Amino acid sequence: MYDKIKLMLYDLPTGYDWQTVLQRTVVKDYFANGTGGKGYWLGRRVIATETYVSFEGSLPKCLWGHNLKTLSLQQVKWLIMKLSKDLGVPMYKAVVESAEFAHNFSMTEPPIMYMQKLDAMKAFRPNGWSGTKYMDNGEVRCKFYDKIQETKKKRELPKYGRENLLRYEVTFSTKGLSRLFGRDIVAEELWSKQVFWTLVAEWFGYYEDMVKLPNDCWDADYRIFESAKDFAKWCICIANADQNLSYYVKHVLFKLQANPQPSDRVLHGQIQKKIQEALEWGKKHLTLPNLTLELTGKIEQYLAWLLEQSADRMGIAEERRIFNTAVNPLLIQIRLGNHQRE
């Protein structure tokens, strides 16, 4: 579930030389002041200066060139230790300045339809930029977007996996990680189960806290429109959701009109008929499945697999030993939810 991370190594080893470190990368350029430079390691950015070495990039992309798949903890360890060996400095001792936790979910409908059902939790600022749903509190950012569209833009899409992929990311800043663990964490802790499963529980907990919006008339599929007349009926249904059209037309527009004419009654009757026809049409065509239930089910199924079957799985006894406390209630919920489905 780890994706993009940023590491900062300030505790440099004896005999450290930033030029030597940089030469171990694909050098991009040197700083004008002569104190450092930038290069790339497995396509991800490395900066070496007189006072620090940094790495920033997606760990899955280091291996596969895309992040449609997620890494096991052993793969995370192997990559960071390889980074340390290749650069010649202990990047496994670097402070984690940010960590992105994410997974891609294959959905039955386009991702935008699920994003429309989610709203920010308390103390988070919501944003919707370019078809992406953001929720941010300055320490943690939650993000949903169409993964296939994003990979197409970046030209990272492999030959497989072209279905409806909804990506859910949580990015923890330095402050967010410090608040969660009570201190800075270093890179070699990323593959510890204590850190990993703490982040898993937070990732799931943020989703649980999000406001889930009910279905409404906007949850429409283009295939319901057999003609332009159906589109007009859909528009009436949307307007009726915010205002009782039948009542408004009769008691406001019709009764309060200036200079009424006998023919107005005929027109009023025709309008009322159109409204009723549209609402009947809506009952048949706007009853879509609850998309929030589908998304929640997908997340819970994935977490149950991660907890009980993956290479990074963790039993109840192991959890108690690792955390030296009672079992995490969110993890209990995942286990119970999985058993109920079985």
Side-chain angles (χ1 to χ4, degrees), residues 16-223:
Y16 164 78
D17 175 50
W18 67 264
Q19 291 179 324
T20 301
V21 172
L22 198 63
Q23 289 302 317
R24 290 169 173 256
T25 71
V26 178
V27 180
K28 176 66 175 179
D29 54 42
Y30 291 89
F31 297 162
N33 60 9
T35 61
K38 179 172 67 175
Y40 287 88
W41 176 82
L42 297 183
R44 307 306 121 191
R45 188 173 67 183
V46 171
I47 294 176
T49 75
E50 294 177 347
T51 56
Y52 69 85
V53 178
S54 72
F55 166 84
E56 185 173 10
S58 165
L59 294 178
K61 289 180 182 179
C62 288
L63 283 184
W64 304 304
H66 62 79
N67 55 3
L68 293 179
K69 296 194 295 183
T70 56
L71 299 168
S72 68
L73 294 184
Q74 277 301 111
Q75 289 172 316
V76 172
K77 178 180 180 180
W78 181 85
L79 271 170
I80 292 177
M81 295 307 290
K82 178 175 173 56
L83 172 67
S84 300
K85 181 179 179 181
D86 290 353
L87 297 186
V89 289
M91 294 303 292
Y92 56 89
K93 295 292 186 182
V95 173
V96 180
E97 292 227 327
S98 70
E100 190 175 273
F101 223 62
H103 191 68
N104 305 305
F105 295 94
S106 179
M107 312 303 295
T108 57
E109 302 294 337
I112 187 64
M113 297 183 68
Y114 301 88
M115 289 187 269
Q116 290 173 347
K117 300 288 96 185
L118 301 172
D119 202 0
M121 49 287 212
K122 186 177 181 181
F124 275 68
R125 298 185 305 276
N127 291 293
W129 302 327
S130 303
T132 301
K133 175 80 71 174
Y134 288 90
M135 305 168 197
D136 194 306
N137 71 352
E139 296 182 356
V140 175
R141 169 177 283 183
C142 301
K143 181 178 176 183
F144 291 86
Y145 60 92
D146 186 327
K147 184 58 187 174
I148 297 300
Q149 290 300 317
E150 189 247 9
T151 52
K152 284 180 179 178
K153 289 179 181 178
K154 294 184 177 180
R155 298 182 180 180
E156 296 173 342
L157 188 64
K159 293 181 180 180
Y160 59 90
R162 295 175 180 267
E163 67 269 28
N164 293 319
L165 279 187
L166 175 64
R167 184 171 180 84
Y168 170 39
E169 291 179 354
V170 175
T171 302
F172 300 88
S173 68
T174 308
K175 287 184 178 180
L177 291 169
S178 296
R179 176 193 55 78
L180 185 58
F181 294 102
R183 57 178 174 79
D184 290 339
I185 63 169
V186 296
E188 65 183 345
E189 294 182 277
L190 291 177
W191 56 83
S192 80
K193 285 193 175 182
Q194 182 174 18
V195 169
F196 175 73
W197 280 104
T198 298
L199 295 175
V200 170
E202 289 291 297
W203 183 85
F204 180 50
Y206 283 123
Y207 174 75
E208 286 237 298
D209 290 344
M210 291 174 195
V211 176
K212 315 300 190 299
L213 303 177
N215 279 359
D216 59 27
C217 296
W218 290 102
D219 298 320
D221 189 312
Y222 188 79
R223 290 167 291 187

